[in-house]
Amino acid sequence: MPILTELSAWTALNAHHRMMKDTRLGDLFAADSRRGERLSAEGAGLYLDYSKNRVTDETLSLLMDLARETGVEEWRRAMFAGERINITEQRAVLHTALRQPREASVVVDGQDVVPEVHEVLDRMAVFASAVRGGQWLGFTGRPIRNIVNIGIGGSDLGPVMAYKALRHYAQRDLTVRFVSNVDGTDLVEKTLDLDPEETLFIVSSKTFTTQETMANAASARAWLLSGLKDGAAVARHFVAVSTNADAVQNFGIDPANMFGFWDWVGGRYSMDSAIGLSVMLSIGPDGFSELLAGFHEMDEHFRTAPLEGNLPVLMAMLGVWYNNFFGAQSHAVLPYDQYLQYFPAYLQQLDMESNGKHVTLGGQPVDYQTGPVIWGQPGTNGQHAFYQLIHQGTKLIPCDFIGFCQTLNPLPTPGGPSHHDLLMANVFAQTEALAFGKSLDAVLAEGVEEALAPHRVFEGNRPTNTILADRLTPRTLGALIALYEHKVFVQGVVWNINSFDQWGVELGKVLAGRIVPELGTGPEPQLKHDSSTNTLIRRYRERR
Ligand code: F6P
């Protein structure tokens, strides 16, 4: 693979950036009255307005050249075909197979994986229907009313995000909770008001070795047995989602109650596998099918649409433009929908665990920036917290605004506009303000005294994307998640990194494993860390 910064499209973009860096969005809009309609694209029910970006037609064409020159189309084909593009783990990357329709076929190592995918989905559906319908009985014969998913990272963030996002479609008499943190507070608080006789735990872990999940699962079992007093109860109150059947069995969970997936599904790409069981329990098998259909629709858009009108490609390349040429360090995701409150947190793992890499596929240190810091929270709350910095701070922060034309909770304000109109007015106002700002002249013309005027100036020229969908449905959510999955993929290809491993989380895990015995209550062991770590461990041992 040639060096990224020496590619002709990269060199051309560098030169183009020198011309573009002071170009103002206001001027770009003034020069083209149709810019707002022209710089938009649509796919899988999502409308993307990318006109409020600091780009011209030439910028976009150069960015697409870069995508082509870095092999985005070839890598896309390789991913969908099940080639082992996760080279450090020698694995295929096939989360797209999880949402293929029943009649499709995806062959990996000579075997069609689609029938296996649907076999697991069918078993999940039977189980979910039995729990939802009250036919799956706990050990004492009572129906299950509470579901607690135990998992962390990809075995938690996707399910909890989707559960919250699709709460409108939930079976309301089921309580669904998520325990992830090894901090005992998480499990204690989430089980405090639950009755073990009516509680089902889903232990979700791809590896079934993750320290936090195993500790929480063991304590959950102890909690259950302290109520039900019989080890046989575990079979009625614990199910597992994992790729590791032996470890599941060793834990004491009946293999009949295990829902599997495959090593070609990365943890952060797994919420549409059996890892989504808690979501299926909440919204039902039909709702889950719709979610998968939304994913698939975006997969097809990504796979087939020309790069110039391809939503994930456009968003990825605009991200590269700011990250690598404007030096932007972060990217904010701002959903204007309370149901999407966990979406930014979910994207943090998806994006930062995927593209937080410092060497190329060939193992050479990169000499350019890779993944940005991803952050955000739902609007309008963020407006009253951190938007000040986005509007008037010194950092360039490209933002994605996400909104819906129809609300799931129509609520008229007595005597005023509806809540939803108020919400959406803020989406449109924020992107307008960020793009066009307010000049010193405009501030002075309002009669603001000269000394105060600079404080009231908005420079504008802050880039945003707006993603607009009709309504938040399981299908829309699936499309939205797949949009970001593929955006991350495209950026990883451009940066020539492996978006599908996560060795960066290993060192901390290993060191924690070493320190755990040193915190035991016996005599102080010989501590062989640096003086800071030794002192901290001693102080903890003395004062706990
Ligand atoms: O944080 C590292 C990681 O391996 C993630 O990639 C993964 O989603 C998470 O841990 C949980 O892993 P598991 O599902 O195997 O418990």
Side-chain angles (χ1 to χ4, degrees), residues 151-155 204-210 213 261 266-268 270 275 349 353 502 505-506 509:
I152 197 163
S155 300
S204 297
S205 174
K206 179 175 171 181
T207 55
F208 229 75
T209 57
T210 303
T213 301
F261 59 114
R268 54 192 173 274
S270 67
I275 288 289
Q349 187 200 15
E353 197 166 81
Q502 57 284 319
V505 299
E506 290 307 317
K509 282 188 195 172

Side-chain angles (χ1 to χ4, degrees), residues 47-50 52 315 331-337 340 343 377-380 382-383 386-387 390-391 397-404 423-435 462-469 480 483-484:
Y47 175 83
L48 169 68
D49 173 357
Y50 59 97
K52 294 192 185 88
M315 285 177 59
H331 186 101
V333 180
L334 310 165
Y336 277 65
D337 191 301
L340 289 181
F343 196 58
Q377 61 162 279
T380 56
Q383 290 174 206
F386 52 78
Y387 279 38
I390 304 180
H391 280 285
I397 303 174
C399 306
D400 294 346
F401 283 73
I402 303 170
F404 298 91
L423 177 73
M424 293 306 291
N426 278 282
V427 174
F428 307 135
Q430 287 297 326
T431 59
E432 191 177 19
L434 286 164
R462 267 78 167 152
T464 60
N465 290 315
T466 303
I467 299 166
L468 209 52
L480 193 60
L483 167 66
Y484 279 94

Side-chain angles (χ1 to χ4, degrees), residues 355-398:
N355 285 344
K357 307 290 163 62
H358 71 135
V359 295
T360 64
L361 286 173
Q364 301 302 315
V366 294
D367 60 354
Y368 45 83
Q369 290 291 313
T370 61
V373 176
I374 302 294
W375 60 290
Q377 61 162 279
T380 56
N381 298 20
Q383 290 174 206
H384 298 272
F386 52 78
Y387 279 38
Q388 166 65 37
L389 187 145
I390 304 180
H391 280 285
Q392 285 191 317
T394 52
K395 294 177 177 58
L396 180 72
I397 303 174

Side-chain angles (χ1 to χ4, degrees), residues 513-542:
R514 239 176 252 167
I515 291 173
V516 168
E518 296 173 350
L519 303 185
T521 46
E524 184 180 298
Q526 212 193 348
L527 297 174
K528 293 188 180 146
H529 307 275
D530 58 276
S531 63
S532 160
T533 310
N534 287 345
T535 308
L536 290 166
I537 291 174
R538 278 194 200 105
R539 188 172 171 91
Y540 173 77
R541 287 180 58 97
E542 277 163 27

Side-chain angles (χ1 to χ4, degrees), residues 436-451:
F436 306 112
K438 191 172 183 183
S439 68
L440 183 62
D441 287 348
V443 174
L444 290 172
E446 282 175 356
V448 175
E449 62 183 89
E450 223 157 286

